[in-house]
């Protein structure tokens, strides 16, 4: 994003919500799951989550017949494949955590789930991790996108925020 904004020769637009989704997915993966997600994995997660959410939150609730005749509908079959793909990738994240020589011990979500007796099976742990991943990345990314949009529409507020933030010392950035 910085390269696009700083290079006037590029003079191109970009999808803020898509960029924020990628940034937030990276942040959640690193801070909550102690996992360094690759660009390909971010694209994969984003695409699979979108397919599953469209089917199970938009299409199926308004058409109950999709539930009964879903195997005849290619979009619904593909959504089930997307869910299975998300489970498999989340198992990979969980196993990467297990195989770390020194996993994080500072209360990350994955640490709390892996050590909790509330999730006796790996399937239950994966389901909980997927829930955090979907809920966390989507709501945060779109909230930030809306904030950026509103700041662009309100330059006076943007100036006030910039002035306030510029007064913070780098040591206090994480506390702001």
């Amino acid at each position: 994003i910085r390269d696009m904004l700083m290079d006037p020769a590029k003079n191109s637009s970009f999808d803020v919500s898509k960029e924020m989704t990628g940034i937030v997915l990276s942040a959640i993966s690193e801070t909550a799951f102690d996992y360094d997600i690759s660009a390909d994995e971010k694209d994969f997660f984003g695409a699979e989550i979108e397919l599953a959410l469209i089917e199970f939150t938009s299409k199926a609730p308004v058409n109950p017949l999709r539930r009964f005749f879903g195997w005849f509908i290619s979009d619904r079959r593909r959504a089930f494949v997307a869910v299975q793909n998300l489970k498999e990738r989340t198992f990979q994240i969980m196993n990467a955590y297990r195989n770390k020589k020194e996993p994080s011990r500072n209360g990350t979500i994955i640490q709390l789930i892996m050590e909790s007796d509330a999730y006796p099976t790996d399937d239950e742990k994966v389901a909980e991790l997927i829930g955090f991943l979907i809920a966390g990345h989507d709501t945060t990314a779109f909230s930030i996108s809306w904030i950026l949009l509103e700041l662009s529409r309100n330059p006076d507020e943007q100036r006030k925020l910039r002035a306030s933030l510029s007064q913070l010392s780098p040591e206090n950035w994480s506390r702001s």
Side-chain angles (χ1 to χ4, degrees):
I1 296 174
R2 178 177 288 178
D3 293 340
M4 282 190 277
L5 295 174
M6 299 306 278
D7 186 358
K10 290 189 179 176
N11 196 21
S12 61
S13 62
F14 60 94
D15 183 346
V16 175
S17 62
K18 181 180 181 215
E19 296 298 328
M20 285 299 113
T21 301
I23 290 169
V24 170
L25 194 53
S26 292
I28 289 173
S29 294
E30 187 176 327
T31 59
F33 297 158
D34 199 13
Y35 183 78
D36 188 19
I37 192 168
S38 71
D40 289 341
E41 287 174 309
K42 282 192 288 190
D43 291 342
F44 174 83
F45 269 108
E48 298 299 277
I49 289 169
E50 183 177 3
L51 283 170
L53 288 177
I54 288 171
E55 176 60 37
F56 300 118
T57 64
S58 297
K59 293 181 179 180
V62 297
N63 185 350
L65 294 177
R66 288 183 82 85
R67 192 161 161 227
F68 300 108
F69 300 106
W71 294 111
F72 297 110
I73 304 168
S74 64
D75 287 351
R76 187 158 174 93
R77 288 192 312 267
R78 178 59 182 95
F80 277 101
V81 170
V83 169
Q84 188 58 39
N85 288 340
L86 288 169
K87 285 181 184 177
E88 288 171 10
R89 288 289 173 106
T90 308
F91 267 109
Q92 290 173 356
I93 291 171
M94 193 170 69
N95 288 329
Y97 178 81
R98 281 186 175 134
N99 295 330
K100 280 186 174 249
K101 290 181 182 177
E102 293 184 32
S104 174
R105 293 283 172 220
N106 59 359
T108 60
I109 289 173
I110 196 165
Q111 175 200 355
L112 297 173
I113 289 172
M114 296 299 286
E115 294 175 359
S116 174
D117 294 335
Y119 311 101
T121 69
D122 281 355
D123 285 334
E124 290 173 294
K125 291 173 185 173
V126 164
E128 195 67 21
L129 291 170
I130 289 172
F132 276 107
L133 181 69
I134 291 172
H137 98 280
D138 202 43
T139 54
T140 305
F142 285 102
S143 295
I144 293 171
S145 297
W146 276 105
I147 290 168
L148 293 174
L149 177 65
E150 289 302 315
L151 285 171
S152 72
R153 290 179 176 165
N154 297 285
D156 289 338
E157 295 301 318
Q158 187 182 78
R159 278 189 283 283
K160 289 178 193 175
L161 177 61
R162 185 174 287 141
S164 175
L165 293 174
S166 66
Q167 292 176 359
L168 289 175
S169 64
E171 299 84 38
N172 292 324
W173 287 353
S174 65
R175 292 186 221 142
S176 63

